[in-house]
Amino acid sequence: MKNRMKRDGHIHTPFCPHGTKDTLEAYANEAIRLGREEITFTEHFPLPNKVTTKTFARECSLLHEEVPLYLEAITDLKRKFEGKLKINKGFEVDYVESFEDEITKYLNQYGEEIEDAILSVHFVRYEGKYYAIDYLPDFEALLNRLDNLEAVYDLYFRTILKSIESDLGPFKPKRIGHPSLIRIFNRKYPIKYDDKGLFDEIVSKIIEGGYEIDFNVAGLRKVDCKETYPSGRLLELIMQYNIKCVGGSDSHEVAQMALLSK
């Protein structure tokens, strides 16, 4: 985490359907004001088909037809800020269990242009249905199905493990996004979760695969979280084994970028 203030590796854009219309230039100028030397725009990669409803999917990520426009806009921005700020073209790619082939197909399509990327888990699968764990109605629906908060956490962290172990081809992201996102509602649904065996396995696979961690401060601004992702025992293990962390503001508006400095 030592370089997180000079680099912000997780920033969204006006292309994000659940973000703001703050311009790319505004993000870049704010990065310079904050003393950043490098940033990565990590817009949400298109979700695989049939993970969720078309309406909800539209709120979560880019559409496939928007990807070339997004990449072109970042390319133009790189030219404007050349010599002032290192800007990377990137994505936040969702790992969705059983859709590995489709994810790989589209990573291969755009991979040559991707300079930096994050692999995140937002959706978990239970009995053939997918639940967005950072969307309270889905979180509560899954909790009702499993009837056990610990089981919800188990499912999430086992999905994190599957994402690390997955074969998504040569353009698979090498940074694991906000790996304790399940804690987003921890104040509403408190639990002291510490599956040492599972955490040890996750950390072992991260080391084995040479992955980085997205040290993400977005949870600090969530009313029911107030933690970084990762946090707790998982963060302790990551620090113990000196796994590389890249700071991420996970900004969806320019004003959120400064939180990474605090």
Side-chain angles (χ1 to χ4, degrees):
M1 290 174 284
K2 61 184 179 181
N3 293 320
R4 71 177 188 263
M5 291 179 64
K6 294 294 184 182
R7 179 182 177 189
D8 189 340
H10 193 154
I11 300 174
H12 292 276
T13 73
F15 287 86
C16 182
H18 56 269
T20 66
K21 294 305 178 186
D22 288 354
T23 66
L24 294 172
E25 289 84 356
Y27 283 103
N29 283 321
E30 179 68 356
I32 292 170
R33 188 189 73 81
L34 292 169
R36 308 284 186 258
E37 297 174 356
E38 179 178 356
I39 62 172
T40 300
F41 287 106
T42 51
E43 201 46 79
H44 292 282
F45 203 60
L47 282 170
N49 294 319
K50 299 180 181 178
V51 171
T52 184
T53 65
K54 286 185 177 179
T55 300
F56 191 73
R58 167 69 286 204
E59 289 300 312
C60 294
S61 66
L62 292 171
L63 300 175
H64 283 291
E65 56 265 33
E66 294 172 324
V67 171
L69 299 174
Y70 165 72
L71 291 172
E72 182 180 359
I74 304 301
T75 299
D76 289 344
L77 189 75
K78 286 165 67 71
R79 293 193 193 102
K80 290 178 184 177
F81 283 83
E82 188 174 359
K84 301 176 185 177
L85 177 68
K86 179 174 171 52
I87 299 172
N88 300 308
K89 285 186 287 186
F91 289 101
E92 182 175 14
V93 179
D94 267 275
Y95 170 78
V96 186
E97 185 179 355
S98 85
F99 284 94
E100 290 86 353
D101 288 346
E102 187 174 339
I103 296 167
T104 302
K105 173 186 173 182
Y106 289 112
L107 279 173
N108 288 342
Q109 180 176 344
Y110 301 112
E112 294 291 347
E113 289 198 66
I114 300 174
E115 298 170 322
D116 190 23
I118 294 169
L119 185 67
S120 296
V121 171
H122 295 94
F123 290 87
V124 297
R125 185 177 69 170
Y126 180 68
E127 294 185 343
K129 181 177 171 61
Y130 292 90
Y131 297 84
I133 54 89
D134 57 341
Y135 177 56
L136 187 58
D138 272 18
F139 182 95
E140 292 180 330
L142 181 60
L143 179 58
N144 288 335
R145 292 287 303 278
L146 290 170
D147 196 32
N148 185 314
L149 189 56
E150 186 171 3
V152 173
Y153 273 62
D154 283 341
L155 178 58
Y156 169 78
F157 282 110
R158 292 199 178 280
T159 306
I160 288 285
L161 182 60
K162 288 177 181 178
S163 76
I164 296 165
E165 295 176 324
S166 66
D167 181 1
L168 300 179
F171 301 108
K172 179 182 179 181
K174 297 300 289 184
R175 187 155 69 256
I176 305 304
H178 43 55
S180 61
L181 181 63
I182 192 69
R183 299 283 294 168
I184 191 169
F185 304 120
N186 79 82
R187 292 195 170 195
K188 187 175 181 67
Y189 292 101
I191 181 175
K192 187 175 181 180
Y193 182 86
D194 184 11
D195 187 325
K196 185 178 184 302
L198 182 52
F199 284 168
D200 283 347
E201 190 172 4
I202 287 170
V203 168
S204 175
K205 292 296 182 181
I206 287 170
I207 295 169
E208 182 182 317
Y211 292 96
E212 304 171 339
I213 296 296
D214 168 40
F215 182 78
N216 190 304
V217 298
L220 296 174
R221 60 179 186 259
K222 303 294 184 182
V223 66
D224 288 323
C225 185
K226 301 301 181 184
E227 295 178 359
T228 59
Y229 313 125
S231 59
R233 174 63 177 165
L234 182 57
L235 178 58
E236 289 173 5
L237 283 170
I238 287 166
M239 295 178 70
Q240 178 182 332
Y241 288 99
N242 294 312
I243 295 170
K244 182 178 179 181
C245 292
V246 176
S249 64
D250 204 347
S251 298
H252 289 70
E253 60 181 276
V254 168
Q256 295 173 343
M257 296 178 69
L259 186 58
L260 191 60
S261 302
K262 298 180 180 179

